[in-house]
Amino acid sequence: MPAYNHEQFVAASIESVCEQTYRPLELVVVDDGSSDSTASVVTSLAAEVRARLHRFVFDGQRNRGIASALNRALSHARGEFVATLASDDVYLPHKIERLLEIPDWDDPRTAAAFGDAQLIDRWGERVGLLEDFSTADLTAGDAEPLALGHYMRWRHEPEPGPPGSYASLLRGPYIPGVASLIRRSALRAVGDFDESRFVEDYALWLHLARDHRIVAIPDVVAQKRFHGANVSVVRKRLVFRDMLELLVRERPYARSDPVAAAERAASRDRVYDAVRHYGNGADLLWILARHPIGGPVDLLAARNRHR
């Protein structure tokens, strides 16, 4: 659990781990330099959590971002499987047990599994389900869910392959991290979370899906909280820039498969439009600097489609 300035939510997040039906569990919380009382809330709960779980670790660092906090947490982890949990989100009680009981784990190629997540507001009231939301549905709302609608492509759309496949993930980052479970050995094989990105989860799913299996189950296993200060809303300009850069980076891997190549190009064009809307020319120059060969080809193609 990377924790940052969620003093009003972190206790509920921790409680949702303690209420899991699966045992044994360890919980590792890393405070990412919070400026509010998040660290104090976690400290006040430490004794109770240690009594209810197999192992509890609370660590802290200066503010370096979600990916850095996740990597620090992973350095403490001992389990065979890893489940991430933002300090404003919530697991449903059966989350870990349901994802662990699928037979697909017998296949060593299976790197991760995920279910669906409910959307809740700051008071914990359900406002939707990730699977049944669409960008069109969100246009009637305010700017926060609209921005997230651009960021996450909801799974009710036809997929170019089973959910979790590489081609389908090129459509967008539809896997709810809060509703996922990852084999730790597979995570080690692809490296740490990328600390240079605001879409560290999307980078991980794309990397895993190239050579591993990611399995979807139909169950709702978690709740994702929208409260106006979500990273994907507050930093949406950088989120879209990083998404576009990732899609440019995936060109060599996607072009060998016609379906994947088509999905990548369509998603690239859509995100390019979002970068132009929320960002500026410096974002495109940043991508060109990182991808001096493939970047000009991709960005020119995207620009021509939006003339």
Side-chain angles (χ1 to χ4, degrees):
M1 178 186 293
Y4 178 71
N5 283 359
H6 285 154
E7 60 184 2
Q8 68 270 53
F9 306 128
V10 67
S13 298
I14 290 174
E15 178 63 20
S16 76
V17 177
C18 293
E19 290 182 344
Q20 289 299 295
T21 56
Y22 178 85
R23 288 293 189 276
L25 283 182
E26 65 176 4
L27 173 61
V28 180
V29 180
V30 173
D31 180 68
D32 188 36
S34 295
S35 58
D36 65 1
S37 61
T38 295
S40 297
V41 172
V42 177
T43 299
S44 70
L45 297 171
E48 178 186 352
V49 176
R50 287 193 176 95
R52 297 171 67 184
L53 297 180
H54 178 70
R55 180 169 177 257
F56 175 67
V57 176
F58 181 41
D59 197 0
Q61 63 178 28
R62 63 182 177 86
N63 182 237
R64 296 179 58 188
I66 293 174
S68 174
L70 283 169
N71 287 333
R72 192 178 184 106
L74 285 169
S75 71
H76 291 287
R78 297 178 181 174
E80 182 182 353
F81 295 88
V82 171
T84 62
L85 176 63
S87 53
D88 53 349
D89 293 340
V90 175
Y91 289 163
L92 297 183
H94 62 283
K95 187 252 172 133
I96 302 296
E97 182 176 25
R98 178 67 187 93
L99 287 172
L100 271 177
E101 70 184 8
I102 63 172
D104 302 81
W105 294 117
D106 293 336
D107 183 348
R109 297 175 301 157
T110 301
F114 68 96
D116 282 318
Q118 295 171 343
L119 306 178
I120 58 174
D121 60 21
R122 64 172 57 248
W123 299 281
E125 296 296 321
R126 177 181 167 179
V127 295
L129 182 70
L130 285 184
E131 185 181 51
D132 58 26
F133 264 45
S134 69
T135 303
D137 297 329
L138 293 170
T139 56
D142 58 26
E144 295 167 11
L146 179 58
L148 286 163
H150 283 293
Y151 170 51
M152 301 180 77
R153 301 299 292 176
W154 314 107
R155 290 203 292 136
H156 82 290
E157 297 185 15
E159 296 291 349
S165 66
Y166 179 67
S168 72
L169 279 165
L170 288 167
R171 183 182 293 266
Y174 58 77
I175 295 179
V178 66
S180 67
L181 187 69
I182 307 170
R183 197 191 297 269
R184 190 170 167 220
S185 58
L187 188 56
R188 285 198 301 262
V190 300
D192 293 338
F193 286 94
D194 189 339
E195 299 182 16
S196 69
R197 303 183 191 278
F198 284 88
V199 289
E200 75 291 331
D201 53 344
Y202 191 27
L204 171 66
W205 299 129
L206 286 171
H207 201 162
L208 283 175
R210 288 185 211 148
D211 303 307
H212 299 79
R213 292 182 65 219
I214 300 177
V215 178
I217 66 170
D219 302 44
V220 176
V221 297
Q223 295 177 323
K224 181 173 180 60
R225 194 186 304 270
F226 286 175
H227 48 74
N230 303 81
V231 171
S232 45
V233 172
V234 176
R235 299 294 186 91
K236 55 182 174 289
R237 170 191 154 237
L238 297 178
V239 165
F240 295 136
R241 184 202 68 181
D242 284 4
M243 275 188 65
L244 180 57
E245 193 268 335
L246 273 177
L247 291 166
V248 172
R249 187 201 70 177
E250 291 299 310
R251 186 168 182 259
Y253 308 103
R255 63 185 177 187
S256 60
D257 179 347
V259 175
E263 289 300 323
R264 187 197 69 90
S267 184
R268 175 206 64 196
D269 295 346
R270 185 184 71 251
V271 179
Y272 176 84
D273 192 46
V275 170
R276 293 203 310 167
H277 180 75
Y278 292 106
N280 53 51
D283 296 316
L284 300 177
L285 290 174
W286 181 86
I287 295 172
L288 288 172
R290 290 172 68 97
H291 299 274
I293 298 177
V297 175
D298 266 331
L299 298 185
L300 181 62
R303 186 194 70 175
N304 291 339
R305 286 183 59 86
H306 285 279
R307 278 181 171 174

